[in-house]
Amino acid sequence: MTISLETVGRVRVVTIHRPEARNAVNPETARALYEAFRAFEQDDAVDVAVFAGAGGHFCAGYDLKAAAGGEGADWLSQVQMPDDWSDAAAQPLPGPMGPSRLLLSKPVIAAVEGYAVAGGIELAAWCDMRVASESAVFGVFCRRWGVPLIDGGTVRLPRLIGQGRANDLILTGRPVGAVEAQAMGLADRVVPEGGALAAALDLAEGLTRFPQSCMRADHLSARLSGVELASALRREWASFAAFAAEGAAGAARFASGKGRGGSFGDI
């Protein structure tokens, strides 16, 4: 299994378990994450989710080794966005990274250790709050390979941190540490290294104590509606087809050994 599920009181903990790949998401993992968060939304026994990664990293993005092969191409064909998709809340769909097209009524808190980069920063931005350890690194590292943001990064980052800061991250792809991430509004809490999961669980448990219907109504009202989100994600997805060949070439360079460890020098 590439993910694990645990229930702590009224909190569901969803953890990516691919530490050998810094929790990069392959098609199997994307399917499992989508199903796990759909099940969380429908489970009356839990109110809040914590999203984490095993082995000291949150998520290093989409698995470009899978993307460079037939497995990745097959998965992307399965998550093609229908032209008539019009409501993210009423018409749930999987995204390339799994849950990125879902609009849940319940809050999800990211527990970020290590890398949350490329598709990983998109998953972190999909969450409603982010608890980051001092070791956390955020960044649009896929900039190096010509792989576009297609899991809501261009939609959610400007709304989280403002257009100017989002431009900085999206255009340069540069790494952003936890302290700067908190200053720009990307990280909501910064805790000592190794403490993100415990802090996120504590935060989640506190949320379960409130009257849930009122909290969820306020939370839903504060975000894009399902119709607005679907429209924005369709616009983002439209860019993918135009640059698929460039991204495929970049994925092949990564699979050949370029740019390992987040290097921007050898790409």
Side-chain angles (χ1 to χ4, degrees):
M1 295 295 292
T2 61
I3 73 168
S4 68
L5 305 176
E6 182 183 5
T7 301
V8 181
R10 296 192 64 82
V11 178
R12 176 69 42 77
V13 182
V14 180
T15 305
I16 305 174
H17 274 278
R18 299 193 74 222
E20 74 286 353
R22 291 177 174 160
N23 297 319
V25 169
N26 63 359
E28 177 187 358
T29 309
R31 290 188 195 96
L33 289 172
Y34 174 74
E35 292 167 2
F37 282 106
R38 286 275 286 146
F40 158 69
E41 175 75 356
Q42 296 163 5
D43 190 345
D44 292 336
V46 287
D47 298 319
V48 183
V50 169
F51 191 4
H57 292 284
F58 178 68
C59 175
Y62 190 73
D63 188 334
L64 292 183
K65 289 184 178 180
E71 181 188 20
D74 181 63
W75 172 241
L76 287 177
S77 71
Q78 293 179 47
V79 297
Q80 288 288 329
M81 188 178 291
D83 292 337
D84 61 353
W85 187 53
S86 60
D87 191 333
Q91 301 167 304
L93 290 177
M97 293 288 291
S100 55
R101 293 173 182 164
L102 292 175
L103 181 65
L104 305 183
S105 67
K106 303 175 184 179
V108 180
I109 301 169
V112 180
E113 300 278 353
Y115 282 140
V117 298
I121 196 175
E122 293 187 282
L123 287 182
W126 171 75
C127 295
D128 302 295
M129 297 184 72
R130 285 148 294 281
V131 176
S133 86
E134 293 171 341
S135 73
V137 176
F138 298 86
V140 184
F141 281 16
C142 50
R143 181 58 54 239
R144 300 172 296 167
W145 310 119
V147 176
L149 295 170
I150 53 174
D151 281 272
T154 67
V155 175
R156 296 184 176 102
L157 284 172
R159 287 166 175 79
L160 282 173
I161 62 177
Q163 188 66 59
R165 290 187 174 113
N167 290 347
D168 183 356
L169 268 63
I170 290 168
L171 292 174
T172 71
R174 70 180 180 86
V176 173
V179 172
E180 184 181 2
Q182 185 177 36
M184 65 171 56
L186 184 56
D188 301 293
R189 309 277 195 280
V190 174
V191 299
E193 184 173 357
L197 179 58
L201 279 168
D202 185 61
L203 177 58
E205 194 277 331
L207 297 186
T208 68
R209 300 181 184 185
F210 297 130
Q212 292 298 300
S213 294
C214 177
M215 185 183 75
R216 291 177 195 172
D218 286 347
H219 178 48
L220 188 62
S221 181
R223 292 177 289 163
L224 287 173
S225 72
V227 173
E228 292 168 325
L229 180 59
S231 176
L233 290 176
R234 282 202 316 272
R235 179 172 177 266
E236 180 185 73
W237 179 256
S239 71
F240 174 64
F243 303 105
E246 187 175 73
R253 293 201 305 278
F254 176 84
S256 74
K258 300 286 187 180
R260 294 301 166 84
S263 171
F264 277 68
D266 181 24
I267 58 174

